[in-house]
Structure formats: C-alpha cells, structure tokens
Amino acid sequence: MNEHRPSDPSPDSVGPGGVVEGTVNRVSAPASTGGAGSTFEQHVGAYWLAQLLIGSIPPILIETTVAEVGFQTERLGWHTDDLLIACTAGGAVRNLAVQVKRRFAVSASDEECVQVIGDFWRDFNGPYFSKDEDRLALATLRGTNTLLEHFVGL
C-alpha cells in the first residue's frame, strides 16, 4: 500500500535525482570520504616511478640515481612505510624512506604527528637504516602554518 503521509514530501516536490525541492543536500567532500590521501600518495609514488624510469638524480640524495621504488614497505620491516626509494652511487645503495600525508600538523597533541615522528625515530634507530647514508622524508600536500613558517627561507 503506497500511502502518502503528511510528513513525506509530495511526489510533485521531488526534483531530478530524488532531491526534495526546498531542502539542502548535505554531501561530504570527496576528500574527506573518498581517499584523497590515497590519491595524493599515488601521485607522489608516480613522481618517484618517473624518476626511476629516467634514472634521475633525486632531490634529496643528490649524488645518487633512483634505482628502485618500493610501496607499502612495512612488510620489509620499515615503520616509515609509504615509499622506500633505493638510490645508488658507485654500487652503494642509499635509502630514502618516505611517509606521505595529505595534511600534517606539527603538534604533540596530534596523534598522526606523534605516530609519524615515532615511526621516523624507530627507523632511524632500526637495523635497516644507515645514519650516515640514508634519509627520512615527509611528503605533504599542505601543512599547517606551524609547519610551513619554518621552511620559508629554504
């Protein structure tokens, strides 16, 4: 039985796509619900794959060339696990472990910040990291002013 109740919108007030006229659609931003962080991580990964394809000199380990790009490297024992870029120079391998974050706030009360810095520290003191040769990096799409204000002069 299809009965129209007074609280239901009348069939005449329903517009295209089932939207009731006179109401406001509340739709979450795709970035907050749809994996924008994953998309940014894929873009950063694509950048490094392009560097690998052309045998590029990376912007951090400037005396090397990109030799290998690894994704989701926790399985290899790294805590900084989004990307692992292996670079070579004269047969020696130097690693760049990269954590990718769409947004990043530097704050002792920010759980993500605490996790990332903790992962960096565990890798820095871990068995796979050479303090003399390897590097850690944080790739962000946009940081907070607290993060960015200290990099203005670079």
Side-chain angles (χ1 to χ4, degrees):
M1 180 176 192
N2 191 3
E3 181 179 309
H4 178 72
R5 295 185 303 256
S7 62
D8 289 342
S10 72
D12 296 331
S13 67
V14 177
V19 175
V20 176
E21 293 176 8
T23 63
V24 176
N25 275 347
R26 296 184 190 262
V27 178
S28 297
S32 64
T33 61
S38 297
T39 301
F40 178 61
E41 186 176 329
Q42 291 167 352
H43 288 175
V44 174
Y47 166 83
W48 284 106
L49 288 174
Q51 300 304 303
L52 173 65
L53 287 173
I54 62 173
S56 174
I57 297 170
I60 295 174
L61 299 170
I62 57 173
E63 65 282 354
T64 66
T65 56
V66 177
E68 186 177 324
V69 177
F71 296 88
Q72 301 305 316
T73 57
E74 185 175 25
R75 62 189 162 69
L76 301 175
W78 289 84
H79 298 280
T80 307
D81 65 348
D82 286 337
L83 295 167
L84 182 64
I85 315 303
C87 301
T88 57
V93 176
R94 297 181 65 190
N95 293 308
L96 173 63
V98 182
Q99 194 67 45
V100 180
K101 297 293 178 191
R102 187 170 177 271
R103 293 187 181 166
F104 190 76
V106 177
S107 171
S109 62
D110 184 271
E111 290 180 29
E112 190 168 54
C113 177
V114 171
Q115 179 69 43
V116 168
I117 300 302
D119 287 346
F120 279 169
W121 186 247
R122 281 186 286 283
D123 284 333
F124 183 77
N125 292 300
Y128 305 110
F129 191 85
S130 166
K131 291 176 178 75
D132 294 327
E133 302 295 330
D134 297 340
R135 299 293 179 261
L136 300 165
L138 174 65
T140 64
L141 179 62
R142 175 83 174 121
T144 63
N145 286 338
T146 303
L147 174 65
L148 297 175
E149 70 186 13
H150 300 291
F151 292 102
V152 172
L154 295 179

Coordinates of all heavy atoms in Angstrom, one line a residue, residues 58-90:
P58 N 67.7 12.2 -7.5 CA 66.6 12.6 -6.6 C 67.0 14.0 -5.9 O 68.1 14.3 -5.8 CB 66.5 11.5 -5.6 CG 67.9 10.9 -5.6 CD 68.4 11.0 -7.0
P59 N 65.9 14.7 -5.5 CA 66.2 16.0 -4.9 C 66.8 15.9 -3.5 O 67.2 17.0 -3.0 CB 64.8 16.6 -4.9 CG 63.9 15.5 -4.9 CD 64.5 14.4 -5.7
I60 N 66.9 14.7 -2.9 CA 67.4 14.6 -1.5 C 68.8 14.0 -1.5 O 69.7 14.5 -1.0 CB 66.4 13.9 -0.6 CG1 65.1 14.7 -0.5 CG2 67.0 13.6 0.7 CD1 64.0 14.0 0.2
L61 N 68.9 12.9 -2.1 CA 70.2 12.2 -2.2 C 70.9 12.5 -3.5 O 70.9 11.7 -4.4 CB 70.0 10.7 -2.0 CG 69.4 10.2 -0.7 CD1 69.0 8.7 -0.8 CD2 70.3 10.4 0.4
I62 N 71.3 13.8 -3.6 CA 71.7 14.4 -4.9 C 72.9 13.7 -5.6 O 73.1 14.0 -6.8 CB 71.9 15.9 -4.7 CG1 73.0 16.2 -3.7 CG2 70.6 16.6 -4.4 CD1 73.3 17.7 -3.6
E63 N 73.7 13.0 -4.9 CA 74.8 12.3 -5.5 C 74.5 10.9 -6.0 O 75.5 10.1 -6.2 CB 76.1 12.4 -4.6 CG 75.9 11.6 -3.3 CD 75.1 12.3 -2.2 OE1 74.7 13.4 -2.4 OE2 74.8 11.6 -1.2
T64 N 73.3 10.6 -6.1 CA 72.8 9.2 -6.4 C 71.8 9.3 -7.6 O 71.4 10.3 -8.0 CB 72.1 8.5 -5.3 OG1 70.9 9.2 -5.0 CG2 73.0 8.5 -4.0
T65 N 71.4 8.1 -8.1 CA 70.3 8.0 -9.0 C 69.3 7.0 -8.5 O 69.7 6.1 -7.7 CB 70.8 7.5 -10.4 OG1 71.5 6.3 -10.3 CG2 71.7 8.5 -11.1
V66 N 68.0 7.2 -8.8 CA 67.0 6.3 -8.3 C 67.1 5.0 -9.0 O 67.2 4.9 -10.2 CB 65.6 7.0 -8.6 CG1 64.5 6.0 -8.2 CG2 65.5 8.3 -7.9
A67 N 67.2 3.9 -8.2 CA 67.4 2.6 -8.7 C 66.2 1.7 -8.4 O 65.9 0.7 -9.2 CB 68.6 1.9 -8.1
E68 N 65.4 2.0 -7.4 CA 64.2 1.1 -7.1 C 63.2 1.9 -6.3 O 63.6 2.8 -5.5 CB 64.7 0.0 -6.2 CG 63.7 -1.1 -5.9 CD 64.4 -2.2 -5.1 OE1 65.5 -2.6 -5.3 OE2 63.7 -2.8 -4.2
V69 N 61.9 1.6 -6.5 CA 60.9 2.3 -5.7 C 60.0 1.2 -5.1 O 59.5 0.3 -5.8 CB 60.0 3.2 -6.6 CG1 58.8 3.8 -5.9 CG2 60.9 4.3 -7.3
G70 N 59.8 1.2 -3.8 CA 59.0 0.3 -3.1 C 57.8 1.0 -2.5 O 57.9 2.1 -2.0
F71 N 56.7 0.3 -2.5 CA 55.4 0.8 -1.9 C 55.0 0.0 -0.7 O 55.2 -1.2 -0.7 CB 54.3 0.8 -2.9 CG 54.6 1.7 -4.1 CD1 55.3 1.2 -5.2 CD2 54.2 3.0 -4.1 CE1 55.6 2.0 -6.3 CE2 54.4 3.8 -5.2 CZ 55.1 3.3 -6.3
Q72 N 54.4 0.7 0.3 CA 53.9 0.0 1.5 C 54.9 -1.0 2.0 O 54.7 -2.2 2.0 CB 52.6 -0.7 1.2 CG 51.5 0.2 0.7 CD 51.2 1.4 1.6 OE1 51.2 1.2 2.8 NE2 51.1 2.6 1.1
T73 N 56.0 -0.5 2.5 CA 57.2 -1.3 2.9 C 57.2 -1.7 4.3 O 58.3 -2.2 4.8 CB 58.5 -0.5 2.5 OG1 58.4 0.8 3.2 CG2 58.6 -0.2 1.0
E74 N 56.1 -1.7 5.0 CA 56.1 -2.2 6.4 C 56.5 -3.7 6.3 O 57.1 -4.3 7.2 CB 54.7 -2.1 7.0 CG 54.7 -2.5 8.4 CD 53.3 -2.2 9.1 OE1 52.3 -2.1 8.4 OE2 53.3 -2.1 10.3
R75 N 56.1 -4.4 5.3 CA 56.4 -5.8 5.1 C 57.9 -6.1 5.1 O 58.4 -7.2 5.3 CB 55.7 -6.4 3.8 CG 56.2 -5.7 2.6 CD 55.4 -6.1 1.3 NE 55.6 -5.2 0.3 CZ 56.7 -5.0 -0.4 NH1 57.8 -5.7 -0.2 NH2 56.8 -4.1 -1.4
L76 N 58.7 -5.0 4.8 CA 60.1 -5.2 4.7 C 60.8 -4.8 6.0 O 62.0 -4.7 6.1 CB 60.7 -4.3 3.6 CG 60.2 -4.6 2.2 CD1 60.7 -3.6 1.2 CD2 60.6 -6.0 1.8
G77 N 60.0 -4.4 7.0 CA 60.5 -4.0 8.3 C 60.6 -2.5 8.6 O 61.1 -2.1 9.6
W78 N 60.1 -1.7 7.7 CA 60.2 -0.2 7.8 C 58.9 0.3 8.5 O 57.8 -0.2 8.2 CB 60.4 0.4 6.5 CG 61.7 0.2 5.9 CD1 62.1 -0.8 5.1 CD2 62.8 1.1 6.0 NE1 63.4 -0.7 4.8 CE2 63.9 0.5 5.3 CE3 63.0 2.3 6.6 CZ2 65.1 1.1 5.2 CZ3 64.3 2.9 6.5 CH2 65.3 2.3 5.8
H79 N 59.1 1.2 9.4 CA 57.9 1.8 10.1 C 57.5 3.0 9.2 O 56.3 3.3 9.2 CB 58.3 2.3 11.5 CG 58.7 1.2 12.4 ND1 57.8 0.3 13.0 CD2 59.9 0.7 12.7 CE1 58.4 -0.6 13.7 NE2 59.7 -0.4 13.5
T80 N 58.4 3.7 8.6 CA 58.1 4.8 7.7 C 57.8 4.1 6.3 O 58.7 3.8 5.6 CB 59.3 5.8 7.5 OG1 59.6 6.2 8.8 CG2 58.9 6.9 6.6
D81 N 56.5 3.7 6.1 CA 56.2 2.7 5.2 C 55.5 3.0 3.9 O 55.2 2.1 3.1 CB 55.4 1.6 5.9 CG 54.1 2.1 6.3 OD1 53.8 3.3 6.3 OD2 53.2 1.2 6.7
D82 N 55.3 4.3 3.6 CA 54.6 4.6 2.3 C 55.4 4.3 1.1 O 55.0 3.7 0.2 CB 54.0 6.0 2.3 CG 52.8 6.2 3.3 OD1 52.2 5.2 3.6 OD2 52.6 7.3 3.7
L83 N 56.7 4.8 1.1 CA 57.6 4.6 0.0 C 59.0 4.4 0.5 O 59.4 5.0 1.5 CB 57.6 5.9 -0.9 CG 56.3 6.3 -1.6 CD1 56.5 7.7 -2.2 CD2 56.1 5.3 -2.8
L84 N 59.7 3.5 -0.2 CA 61.1 3.3 0.0 C 61.8 3.5 -1.3 O 61.6 2.7 -2.2 CB 61.4 2.0 0.7 CG 62.8 1.7 1.0 CD1 63.3 2.7 2.1 CD2 63.0 0.3 1.5
I85 N 62.6 4.5 -1.4 CA 63.3 4.8 -2.6 C 64.8 4.4 -2.4 O 65.5 4.9 -1.5 CB 63.3 6.3 -2.9 CG1 61.9 6.9 -2.8 CG2 63.9 6.6 -4.3 CD1 60.8 6.3 -3.6
A86 N 65.2 3.4 -3.2 CA 66.6 2.9 -3.1 C 67.4 3.7 -4.2 O 67.0 3.6 -5.4 CB 66.7 1.4 -3.3
C87 N 68.5 4.3 -3.8 CA 69.3 5.1 -4.8 C 70.7 4.5 -4.8 O 71.1 4.0 -3.7 CB 69.3 6.6 -4.4 SG 67.7 7.3 -4.3
T88 N 71.4 4.6 -5.9 CA 72.7 4.0 -6.0 C 73.7 5.1 -6.4 O 73.4 6.0 -7.1 CB 72.8 2.9 -7.0 OG1 72.3 3.3 -8.2 CG2 71.9 1.7 -6.5
A89 N 74.9 4.9 -5.9 CA 76.1 5.7 -6.3 C 77.3 4.8 -6.2 O 77.6 4.4 -5.1 CB 76.2 6.9 -5.4
G90 N 77.9 4.6 -7.3 CA 79.1 3.7 -7.3 C 78.9 2.4 -6.6 O 79.8 1.9 -6.0

